Amino acid sequence: MPPIDALTPIEHLREAAQCLKVIAHPVRLQIVEMLLDNRMSVGEIAQATNTPQNVTSEHLKRLREHGLIAMERDGRRMICWVIEPGMRSIIQCIQARYRMPATVVPERKDTHNIA
Protein backbone atom coordinates (compact mmCIF):
# COMPACT_ATOMS: atom_id res chain seq x y z
CA MET A 1 0.00 0.00 0.00
CA PRO A 2 1.40 3.43 -0.92
CA PRO A 3 2.09 5.85 1.91
CA ILE A 4 -0.91 8.08 2.64
CA ASP A 5 1.02 11.23 1.62
CA ALA A 6 1.56 9.70 -1.86
CA LEU A 7 -2.20 9.48 -2.47
CA THR A 8 -4.27 12.19 -4.13
CA PRO A 9 -5.40 14.68 -1.47
CA ILE A 10 -9.00 14.14 -0.39
CA GLU A 11 -10.02 17.69 -1.36
CA HIS A 12 -8.91 16.95 -4.94
CA LEU A 13 -10.86 13.71 -4.89
CA ARG A 14 -13.95 15.61 -3.74
CA GLU A 15 -13.58 17.88 -6.79
CA ALA A 16 -13.14 14.82 -9.01
CA ALA A 17 -16.28 13.25 -7.54
CA GLN A 18 -18.25 16.43 -8.31
CA CYS A 19 -17.00 16.36 -11.90
CA LEU A 20 -17.99 12.71 -12.26
CA LYS A 21 -21.46 13.47 -10.85
CA VAL A 22 -21.91 16.17 -13.49
CA ILE A 23 -21.03 13.89 -16.40
CA ALA A 24 -22.81 10.85 -14.92
CA HIS A 25 -25.78 11.22 -17.25
CA PRO A 26 -26.05 9.43 -20.59
CA VAL A 27 -26.97 12.57 -22.55
CA ARG A 28 -24.19 14.63 -20.97
CA LEU A 29 -21.68 11.87 -21.74
CA GLN A 30 -22.92 11.82 -25.34
CA ILE A 31 -22.62 15.62 -25.54
CA VAL A 32 -19.05 15.55 -24.23
CA GLU A 33 -18.16 12.78 -26.67
CA MET A 34 -19.51 14.82 -29.61
CA LEU A 35 -17.83 18.03 -28.50
CA LEU A 36 -14.35 16.56 -28.02
CA ASP A 37 -13.49 17.11 -31.67
CA ASN A 38 -16.32 19.36 -32.83
CA ARG A 39 -17.76 22.77 -32.14
CA MET A 40 -21.53 22.47 -32.31
CA SER A 41 -24.50 24.74 -31.77
CA VAL A 42 -27.09 24.02 -29.10
CA GLY A 43 -29.60 23.18 -31.84
CA GLU A 44 -27.21 20.74 -33.51
CA ILE A 45 -26.53 19.05 -30.17
CA ALA A 46 -30.26 18.81 -29.43
CA GLN A 47 -30.91 17.24 -32.82
CA ALA A 48 -27.98 14.82 -32.57
CA THR A 49 -29.02 13.66 -29.08
CA ASN A 50 -32.74 13.63 -29.93
CA THR A 51 -33.34 15.83 -26.89
CA PRO A 52 -35.55 18.94 -26.70
CA GLN A 53 -33.51 22.12 -27.02
CA ASN A 54 -34.48 23.40 -23.56
CA VAL A 55 -33.33 20.13 -21.96
CA THR A 56 -30.11 20.24 -24.00
CA SER A 57 -29.51 23.78 -22.76
CA GLU A 58 -29.84 22.61 -19.16
CA HIS A 59 -27.31 19.82 -19.73
CA LEU A 60 -24.92 22.31 -21.34
CA LYS A 61 -25.39 24.74 -18.46
CA ARG A 62 -24.29 22.10 -15.94
CA LEU A 63 -21.26 21.17 -18.02
CA ARG A 64 -20.30 24.84 -18.42
CA GLU A 65 -20.78 25.65 -14.72
CA HIS A 66 -18.24 22.98 -13.87
CA GLY A 67 -15.69 24.21 -16.40
CA LEU A 68 -15.98 21.26 -18.76
CA ILE A 69 -17.22 23.12 -21.84
CA ALA A 70 -17.18 26.66 -23.18
CA MET A 71 -19.86 28.48 -25.12
CA GLU A 72 -19.78 31.56 -27.32
CA ARG A 73 -22.35 33.37 -29.35
CA ASP A 74 -22.08 33.22 -33.14
CA GLY A 75 -24.86 35.46 -34.41
CA ARG A 76 -28.05 33.87 -33.08
CA ARG A 77 -26.42 30.54 -32.28
CA MET A 78 -24.53 29.42 -29.19
CA ILE A 79 -21.51 27.32 -30.13
CA CYS A 80 -20.13 24.80 -27.61
CA TRP A 81 -16.90 22.83 -27.26
CA VAL A 82 -14.98 20.89 -24.59
CA ILE A 83 -12.29 22.86 -22.74
CA GLU A 84 -11.35 20.35 -20.04
CA PRO A 85 -8.52 18.23 -21.49
CA GLY A 86 -9.17 15.38 -19.04
CA MET A 87 -12.55 14.69 -20.66
CA ARG A 88 -10.86 12.93 -23.58
CA SER A 89 -9.29 10.31 -21.27
CA ILE A 90 -12.58 9.76 -19.45
CA ILE A 91 -14.51 9.31 -22.69
CA GLN A 92 -11.81 7.00 -24.11
CA CYS A 93 -12.04 4.86 -20.98
CA ILE A 94 -15.83 4.66 -21.31
CA GLN A 95 -15.58 3.85 -25.02
CA ALA A 96 -13.05 1.09 -24.39
CA ARG A 97 -15.27 -0.48 -21.76
CA TYR A 98 -18.78 -0.02 -23.14
CA ARG A 99 -18.69 0.20 -26.94
CA MET A 100 -20.05 -2.82 -28.72
CA PRO A 101 -17.35 -4.95 -30.33
CA ALA A 102 -17.11 -4.95 -34.12
CA THR A 103 -18.52 -8.48 -34.23
CA VAL A 104 -21.20 -9.50 -31.81
CA VAL A 105 -20.76 -12.92 -30.26
CA PRO A 106 -24.04 -14.82 -30.43
CA GLU A 107 -25.74 -15.62 -27.16
CA ARG A 108 -24.87 -19.08 -25.87
CA LYS A 109 -27.68 -21.60 -26.05
CA ASP A 110 -27.41 -24.16 -23.29
CA THR A 111 -28.40 -27.67 -24.24
CA HIS A 112 -29.31 -28.51 -20.66
CA ASN A 113 -32.32 -27.02 -18.95
CA ILE A 114 -31.79 -26.50 -15.26
CA ALA A 115 -35.05 -25.79 -13.51
Side-chain angles (χ1 to χ4, degrees), residues 9-19:
I10 193 71
E11 53 274 1
H12 294 188
L13 293 174
R14 283 188 186 105
E15 288 178 41
Q18 280 303 113
C19 173

Side-chain angles (χ1 to χ4, degrees), residues 8-85:
T8 304
I10 193 71
E11 53 274 1
H12 294 188
L13 293 174
R14 283 188 186 105
E15 288 178 41
Q18 280 303 113
C19 173
L20 292 172
K21 284 181 187 178
V22 170
I23 65 170
H25 187 284
V27 173
R28 287 195 286 270
L29 285 169
Q30 190 175 43
I31 289 170
V32 169
E33 185 176 21
M34 289 187 304
L35 295 179
L36 281 173
D37 296 312
N38 304 292
R39 289 180 176 231
M40 297 175 71
S41 71
V42 175
E44 291 168 332
I45 296 165
Q47 185 175 5
T49 59
N50 198 29
T51 307
Q53 193 160 333
N54 65 320
V55 174
T56 301
S57 293
E58 286 300 315
H59 286 305
L60 293 167
K61 178 182 172 189
R62 296 223 31 219
L63 293 167
R64 187 184 70 231
E65 288 173 349
H66 286 84
L68 305 178
I69 68 165
M71 299 173 77
E72 73 179 8
R73 185 165 295 286
D74 178 24
R76 293 180 45 176
R77 304 177 337 144
M78 289 299 289
I79 304 299
C80 312
W81 67 96
V82 170
I83 58 172
E84 170 54 55

Side-chain angles (χ1 to χ4, degrees), residues 72-102:
E72 73 179 8
R73 185 165 295 286
D74 178 24
R76 293 180 45 176
R77 304 177 337 144
M78 289 299 289
I79 304 299
C80 312
W81 67 96
V82 170
I83 58 172
E84 170 54 55
M87 287 296 99
R88 183 169 302 280
S89 296
I90 291 170
I91 294 299
Q92 286 172 338
C93 178
I94 292 167
Q95 289 171 338
R97 174 65 174 91
Y98 293 102
R99 271 208 176 146
M100 292 297 294

